[in-house]
């Protein structure tokens, strides 16, 4: 019979017991966190203050930056604090909060990336219908749906996870509270319903991923018909990094939640967790916005840097035909 005990706190996985390596882990996470913090805050501020960026694409970008900023703020600061204080503990309520918030922001992130792929598809493949399909009301509804779906998905999974009775102790083999690692501690007769919810959620995420891939196939097919070689190069140089970051998030998250958990801490599990919970949040500001000329110009204006003359700035204005085609460039 399993030993059923009341858990009041959990012990998270430390990166190392060596103090020098703990400091190195703290510095590494600090650099990543500050990069994500500054990048996303700049984008949010820039889009909010610049009337020229009040368009569907930038509205979705601002929502993505808010989600990324919130998402990386869930596991990283706690892990950094544990490294500095040489502790591993997190309270039971703190673990619930981590699971709920991280699952919420990740689910909403996936839904929003799907919406952005659709926006990109309409802009390039159906430019004449763009203003009709992506009107203000439609954009608000799609963004709200992404947030609401994230809340519902997170509430269901978090509730089912912590409704389980924990028989396997309180040591979580991950640097934050992650559902698969928590289920490893649950009694066998109480966690089956949560496994079903997880599989269903992963299937939905894979459906979103397939939709994104199909959208980009259509986009690249259309782009190949662009007569300008420079235009094709710009489209591919923007679209391929988008797909890279999206694939990194989907593939690593799916692997983390579907692979059988090991009985002991795994370096692979740790690396996969960093790849899906930390790295994309730092990369998204670079891939989606810092490579975008309008964003860069607006940032230069906002910070008072006049690096271009009026004539040079006019080079950033697209032709009427390419206005919708290169919204993401």
């Amino acid at each position: 019979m399993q030993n059923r005990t009341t858990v009041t706190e959990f012990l998270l996985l430390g990166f190392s017991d060596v103090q020098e390596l703990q400091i190195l882990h703290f510095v590494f996470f600090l650099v990543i966190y500050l990069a994500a913090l500054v990048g996303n805050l700049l984008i949010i501020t820039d889009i909010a203050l610049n009337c020229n960026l009040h368009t569907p694409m930038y509205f979705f970008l601002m929502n993505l930056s808010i989600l990324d900023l919130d998402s990386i703020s869930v596991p990283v600061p706690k892990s950094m604090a544990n490294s500095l204080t040489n502790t591993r503990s997190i309270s039971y309520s703190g673990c619930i909060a981590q699971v709920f918030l991280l699952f919420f922001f990740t689910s909403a992130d996936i839904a929003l990336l799907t919406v952005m792929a659709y926006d990109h598809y309409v802009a390039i493949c159906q430019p004449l219908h763009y203003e009709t399909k992506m009107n203000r009301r439609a954009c608000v509804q799609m963004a709200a749906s992404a947030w609401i779906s994230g809340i519902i998905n997170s509430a269901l999974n978090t509730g089912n996870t912590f409704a389980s009775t924990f028989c396997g102790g309180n040591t979580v083999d991950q640097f934050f509270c992650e559902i698969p690692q928590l289920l490893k501690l649950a009694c066998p007769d109480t966690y089956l319903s949560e496994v079903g919810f997880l599989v269903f959620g992963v299937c939905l995420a894979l459906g979103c991923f397939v939709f994104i891939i199909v959208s980009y196939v259509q986009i690249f097919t259309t782009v190949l018909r662009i007569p300008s070689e420079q235009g094709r190069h710009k489209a591919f140089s923007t679209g391929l990094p988008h797909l890279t970051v999206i694939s990194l998030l989907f593939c690593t998250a799916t692997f983390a939640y579907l692979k059988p958990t090991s009985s002991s801490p795994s370096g692979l599990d740790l690396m996969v967790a960093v790849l899906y919970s930390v790295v994309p949040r730092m990369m998204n500001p670079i891939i989606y916005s810092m490579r975008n000329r309008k964003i860069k110009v607006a940032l230069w204006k906002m910070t008072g840097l006049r690096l271009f003359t009026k004539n040079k700035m006019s080079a950033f204005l697209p032709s009427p035909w390419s206005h919708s085609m290169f919204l993401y460039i």
Side-chain angles (χ1 to χ4, degrees), residues 42-288:
L42 279 175
I43 291 166
I44 294 168
T45 305
D46 192 24
I47 294 174
L49 297 180
N50 194 324
C51 295
N52 294 327
L53 300 181
H54 292 178
T55 61
M57 185 192 74
Y58 298 108
F59 171 71
F60 294 134
L61 280 176
M62 185 170 68
N63 277 267
L64 183 68
S65 291
I66 294 172
L67 285 171
D68 286 340
L69 184 59
D70 292 337
S71 181
I72 199 172
S73 297
V74 175
V76 172
K78 177 61 178 175
S79 181
M80 291 165 55
N82 283 356
S83 289
L84 277 185
T85 57
N86 197 27
T87 60
R88 298 169 51 201
S89 65
I90 182 172
S91 66
Y92 187 85
S93 58
C95 189
I96 293 176
Q98 269 201 347
V99 170
F100 176 80
L101 291 174
L102 191 59
F103 213 90
F104 162 40
F105 295 134
T106 302
S107 299
D109 209 334
I110 290 172
L112 190 63
L113 287 170
T114 307
V115 170
M116 293 175 69
Y118 175 73
D119 176 55
H120 198 178
Y121 165 78
V122 176
I124 291 181
C125 300
Q126 301 177 4
L128 298 180
H129 300 283
Y130 185 78
E131 292 186 4
T132 303
K133 291 189 175 183
M134 303 304 297
N135 58 67
R136 182 183 182 88
R137 181 179 179 182
C139 291
V140 172
Q141 288 177 341
M142 284 188 280
S145 297
W147 286 83
I148 293 171
S149 65
I151 292 175
I152 295 173
N153 192 24
S154 180
L156 290 173
N157 283 277
T158 304
N160 274 279
T161 299
F162 288 95
S164 304
T165 304
F166 295 102
C167 302
N170 67 338
T171 302
V172 180
D173 292 332
Q174 194 53 271
F175 71 96
F176 60 91
C177 287
E178 185 184 53
I179 289 180
Q181 300 299 331
L182 289 170
L183 291 180
K184 189 169 67 173
L185 306 177
C187 300
D189 59 340
T190 63
Y191 80 105
L192 290 179
S193 62
E194 172 53 22
V195 171
F197 273 108
L198 270 183
V199 172
F200 178 71
V202 169
C203 289
L204 287 179
L206 288 176
C208 292
F209 184 57
V210 170
F211 179 87
I212 292 172
I213 294 297
V214 171
S215 298
Y216 271 96
V217 168
Q218 295 294 322
I219 288 167
F220 290 147
T221 302
T222 302
V223 164
L224 287 174
R225 295 198 293 265
I226 297 175
S228 168
E229 183 178 347
Q230 183 180 8
R232 290 196 299 271
H233 174 73
K234 287 181 179 180
F236 278 110
S237 67
T238 304
L240 291 178
H242 289 186
L243 273 182
T244 301
V245 174
I246 291 170
S247 299
L248 177 67
L249 173 61
F250 276 90
C251 295
T252 52
T254 301
F255 180 80
Y257 278 82
L258 287 187
K259 72 174 286 290
T261 54
S262 56
S263 57
S264 59
S266 166
L268 177 62
D269 290 340
L270 188 63
M271 181 182 69
V272 169
V274 172
L275 286 177
Y276 85 80
S277 65
V278 178
V279 174
R281 277 68 187 181
M282 178 190 66
M283 294 300 297
N284 278 339
I286 300 172
I287 298 299
Y288 282 97

